[in-house]
Amino acid sequence: MTRLYKNIFILTGAGISAESGLSTFRSENGLWNNHRVEDVATIEAYYRNQDFVHQFYNDMRPELFAAKPNPAHLAITKLQKEYPADNISVVTQNVDTLHEKAGNNNVYHIHGQINQIVCMHCGHVFETWGDITSEDSCPKCGTTAMLKPNIVFFGESLLYMDVVDRLLSKCDLFISVGTSGVIYPAAGFVQIAKAYGADTFEFNMETTSNNYLFDKHIYGPAGTTLPQFVDELIKAAK
Ligand code: APR
């Protein structure tokens, strides 16, 4: 790693939060907190049974509120503080707020955030860690039964894609941490980064669906491997 990187793009997935005790999506039984994704993370499910979907996220909020960042999240803060790049951004598929709790800057939640609610009538987004039901109304427009967790459901467009496109076009180092690489468009970001000449590193416990697109693979728990990698990057820049 003798190259001095100027623009670092860090893509994270559920695996970076695993050592904080949060479940990943594609565990053995393929369920997300014991629910099929189709039943709780599609716009059809939301319109079919709004309160069932609300309850799934209401149940999740306390756990995510209490979760603590692990050394992988903290390593990103260290990199942002000590590595002489022009920009180090975190594009996360996670809806938890562990990157922010760890002190990471430039964090973009392309799949949304568990502590945000969006009004499907006026588009207003507000924050809460509490429960939401179909009886609640929008604090801005007052419309009832049109509030939805600000989480990108299957069938909806991702958030911050204009920022992602700009960051990918400039990045010279692309790091993927804890994502299975099966959900697009995020799984395709590495290919775009490569096309722009970036070095690409993948941090995971095992080989992934798109591992052939990465220059280097660093296997093991991110809470161990990422801090080591960050220390080596910082040392090489001195
Ligand atoms: N360190 C590094 N990697 C880990 C760790 C760990 N401690 N624990 C698990 N992993 C890896 C797993 O091997 C797996 O490849 O993290 C990955 C988690 O994959 P998924 O559960 O598929 O989660 P993710 O890739 O974030 O899913 C992407 O799919 O369901 C949608 O919107 C949802 O954002 C989610 C998207």
Side-chain angles (χ1 to χ4, degrees), residues 13-15 22-38 41 93-94 111 154 178-184 186-187 204 206 208-209:
L22 300 185
S23 60
T24 59
F25 290 88
R26 284 161 197 87
S27 45
E28 305 70 53
N29 60 14
L31 297 178
W32 185 24
N33 288 352
N34 300 317
H35 285 73
R36 290 183 334 125
V37 166
E38 296 74 14
Q93 301 172 90
N94 300 337
H111 290 176
F154 286 97
T179 180
S180 56
V182 297
I183 298 294
Y184 285 79
N204 204 298
E206 56 195 12
T208 57
S209 311

Side-chain angles (χ1 to χ4, degrees), residues 42-235:
T42 63
I43 204 71
E44 294 77 14
Y46 170 77
Y47 283 118
R48 187 170 60 239
N49 188 343
Q50 198 181 119
D51 278 325
F52 177 78
V53 172
H54 276 314
Q55 196 53 51
F56 176 74
Y57 295 100
N58 289 345
D59 292 345
M60 192 186 296
R61 275 189 201 95
E63 182 190 16
L64 269 57
F65 178 77
K68 299 280 183 278
N70 65 62
H73 299 102
L74 297 169
I76 294 172
T77 300
K78 181 174 183 180
L79 186 69
Q80 289 181 325
K81 282 184 178 157
E82 298 183 23
Y83 189 79
D86 295 339
N87 180 282
I88 301 174
S89 291
V90 180
V91 172
T92 185
Q93 301 172 90
N94 300 337
V95 296
D96 63 56
T97 55
L98 292 174
H99 285 297
E100 290 84 355
K101 287 180 181 175
N104 295 181
N105 297 314
N106 307 331
V107 179
Y108 301 94
H109 288 264
I110 55 172
H111 290 176
Q113 277 177 246
I114 189 69
N115 61 320
Q116 288 184 346
I117 305 296
V118 60
C119 173
M120 301 290 274
H121 179 73
C122 72
H124 178 57
V125 175
F126 60 97
E127 294 203 356
T128 181
W129 283 100
D131 289 355
I132 291 288
T133 72
S134 59
E135 290 169 15
D136 291 319
S137 51
C138 171
K140 185 173 180 189
C141 72
T143 309
T144 306
M146 289 296 278
L147 297 181
K148 179 178 101 47
N150 192 30
I151 288 177
V152 177
F153 286 170
F154 286 97
E156 291 189 299
S157 306
L158 266 59
L159 306 175
Y160 303 108
M161 286 308 284
D162 53 340
V163 174
V164 167
D165 291 342
R166 177 169 51 79
L167 292 173
L168 285 173
S169 69
K170 288 168 49 182
C171 86
D172 47 13
L173 176 60
F174 181 96
I175 299 171
S176 167
V177 187
T179 180
S180 56
V182 297
I183 298 294
Y184 285 79
F189 290 171
V190 57
Q191 203 153 10
I192 300 168
K194 269 182 89 69
Y196 280 107
D199 291 341
T200 55
F201 287 66
E202 179 183 44
F203 290 78
N204 204 298
M205 298 294 283
E206 56 195 12
T207 55
T208 57
S209 311
N210 60 351
N211 78 313
Y212 61 95
L213 292 168
F214 288 90
D215 301 321
K216 288 193 173 50
H217 309 276
I218 299 167
Y219 295 120
T224 303
T225 58
L226 195 58
Q228 288 169 348
F229 179 79
V230 164
D231 287 344
E232 287 166 20
L233 265 184
I234 291 168
K235 191 173 165 203

